[in-house]
């Protein structure tokens, strides 16, 4: 099966910043992404869980974008403009996709 | 004094408070008891709808008097002014940075709708009536405190501003939209509307409140466990002192406005409570450098339990004594 190289960017960010992140990413011309709820975890502030959250102040979400390499800088600039002052983790990995025209 | 102790005792052994205590105890004991996020959200939607709707029905039954506008104005002024008092107090009592102090102060100008709901429930149990429009006052008191906190920060030379998106999110956050929306539905449909859905919004109310407070207890206990490191004696003392000061401000406003005994109690509760839904979210956006474990632990782990167990009965007794009912 023919595969094509792409970049997979995972951005884990505070739930309250989700709309700002998706807006910034769309402005950068990235139209395809998936947002997932994060159930819990542990970071510099200690352990946390999504159970019993009463507001959007302390939950986290993860945005996953799979893009062509040439779009990476635009996406990272957009993500950084939102994540810069906030809690968030951005990671990039190489991946392969089946239908290159979709990314 | 005997009346205060009796009321406090009755309140302490009510199912509502015991459910909250169970949540705190379970969380502190590291039990795996938890209320799923979706269930907690559904419970809060139910409570906001019920309390807003009943407030609207009350206004439709008793009509609007001239005090409504003045009470709303008083609520807005209190919400804007209380953070200034809280900020000054924090600077005297604690060694928090200006940023953290402003973020904490914002919480104490805004309100806790769950404390308001619990107080309403206590008033109903004690057959004390209140002005139905206090629901609208609660909604009006959510946002001004955030503006005051940002103003405090900007005075320190840090140019944080409230952007349009944040303002819209605060003014149109789900709790306010639901509370005010249900209030208008109740107002428009009146007693007939209430009769149609009373088996839904009246009968199960206290049971749902118990479950919700069980969840709040779990969250508060988790916050206490995780944030115990930030609770220095000065910070802890602030979490108890500020609601007392706030309640006295609310008492003064309520008496000046000539509110009913229940209205005075609710004004005290609104002024004494601290936000843990709208303001933390706003602070995460506007002041992300402020430490959330300080303001969340204080508002949810200290002030909320204080108001729920000791504060509300004290406010009821004080308002009853001073309004002569």
């Amino acid at each position: 099966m023919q595969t094509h190289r792409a970049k997979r960017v995972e951005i884990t960010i505070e739930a309250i910043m989700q709309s700002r992140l998706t807006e910034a990413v769309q402005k950068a011309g990235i139209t395809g992404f998936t947002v997932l709820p994060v159930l819990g975890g542990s970071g510099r502030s200690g352990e946390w869980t999504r159970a019993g959250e009463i507001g959007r102040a302390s939950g986290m979400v993860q945005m996953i974008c799979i893009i062509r390499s040439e779009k990476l800088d635009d996406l990272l600039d957009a993500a950084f403009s939102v994540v810069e002052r906030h809690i968030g983790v951005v990671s990039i990995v190489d991946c392969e996709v089946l239908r290159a025209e979709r990314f | 004094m005997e009346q205060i102790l009796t009321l406090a005792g009755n309140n302490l052994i009510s199912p509502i408070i015991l459910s909250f205590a169970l949540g705190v105890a379970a969380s502190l004991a590291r039990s795996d008891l938890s209320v799923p996020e979706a269930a907690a959200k559904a419970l809060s939607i139910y409570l906001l709808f019920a309390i807003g709707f009943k407030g609207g029905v009350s206004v439709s039954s008793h009509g609007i008097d001239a005090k409504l506008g003045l009470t709303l104005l008083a609520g807005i002024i209190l919400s804007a002014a209380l953070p200034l008092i809280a900020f000054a107090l924090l600077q005297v009592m604690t060694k928090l940075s200006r940023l953290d102090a402003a973020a904490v102060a914002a919480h104490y100008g805004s309100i806790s709708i769950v404390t308001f709901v619990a107080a309403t429930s206590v008033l109903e149990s004690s057959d004390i009536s209140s002005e139905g429009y206090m629901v609208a006052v609660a909604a009006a008191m959510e946002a001004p405190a955030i503006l005051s906190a940002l103003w405090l920060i900007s005075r320190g030379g840090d140019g944080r501003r409230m952007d349009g998106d944040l303002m819209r999110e605060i003014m149109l956050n789900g709790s306010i939209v639901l509370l005010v929306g249900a209030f208008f539905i109740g107002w428009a449909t009146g007693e007939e509307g209430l009769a149609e859905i009373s088996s839904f919004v009246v009968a199960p109310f206290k049971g749902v409140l118990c479950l919700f407070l069980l969840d709040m207890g779990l969250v508060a206990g988790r916050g206490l466990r995780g944030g115990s490191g930030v609770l220095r004696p000065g910070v802890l003392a602030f979490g108890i002192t500020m609601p007392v000061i706030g309640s006295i401000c609310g008492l003064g406003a309520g008496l000046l406005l000539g509110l009913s005994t229940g209205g005075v109690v609710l004004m005290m509760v609104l002024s004494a409570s601290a936000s843990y839904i709208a303001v933390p979210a706003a602070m995460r956006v506007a002041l992300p450098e402020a430490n959330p474990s300080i303001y969340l632990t204080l508002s949810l782990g200290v002030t909320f339990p204080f108001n729920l167990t000791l504060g509300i009965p004290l406010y009821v007794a004080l308002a009853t004594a001073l309004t002569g009912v």
Side-chain angles (χ1 to χ4, degrees), chain B residues 33-59:
Chain B
L33 175 63
S34 70
V35 176
E37 183 196 9
K41 193 156 192 170
L43 294 173
S44 71
I45 286 173
Y46 169 82
L47 290 172
L48 287 167
F49 181 83
I51 201 78
F53 187 86
K54 286 189 280 187
V57 171
S58 170
V59 168

Side-chain angles (χ1 to χ4, degrees), chain B residues 222-243:
Chain B
R222 251 193 319 264
L224 271 177
R225 229 175 51 212
S228 55
V230 300
L231 288 181
R232 311 239 179 271
V235 175
L236 190 63
F238 170 82
I240 306 290
T241 310
M242 190 57 210

Side-chain angles (χ1 to χ4, degrees), chain B residues 168-192:
Chain B
R168 184 181 48 76
E169 280 175 20
I170 293 165
M171 302 305 291
L172 292 177
N173 85 65
S175 329
I176 293 188
V177 170
L178 183 57
L179 191 66
V180 175
F183 174 80
F184 281 113
I185 293 172
W187 190 1
T189 58
E191 293 288 350
E192 283 180 23

Side-chain angles (χ1 to χ4, degrees), chain A residues 14-20 23 37-39 45-59 82-88, chain B residues 34-37 40-41 44 160 163 165-166 169 212 215-216 219 222 226 276-277 280-289 292 296 300:
Chain A
E14 294 164 283
I16 190 72
M17 300 303 293
Q18 182 190 327
S19 59
R20 287 168 176 77
E23 198 176 317
V38 177
L39 295 178
S45 309
E47 281 186 43
W48 67 276
T49 168
R50 193 182 188 91
E53 289 291 335
I54 45 173
R56 289 192 304 144
S58 48
V82 178
V83 177
E84 188 181 3
R85 290 172 58 216
H86 290 265
I87 298 169
Chain B
S34 70
V35 176
E37 183 196 9
K41 193 156 192 170
S44 71
R160 304 296 165 80
D163 66 34
D165 281 348
L166 182 57
E169 280 175 20
F212 187 68
D215 181 44
M216 293 296 296
V219 175
R222 251 193 319 264
Y276 39 77
I277 297 177
M283 290 299 110
R284 287 311 300 149
V285 175
L287 302 176
E289 294 87 355
L296 277 175
L300 196 54

Side-chain angles (χ1 to χ4, degrees), chain B residues 9-22:
Chain B
N10 289 342
N11 195 39
L12 279 173
I13 56 162
S14 71
I16 293 169
I17 303 303
L18 291 177
S19 301
F20 179 76
L22 172 62

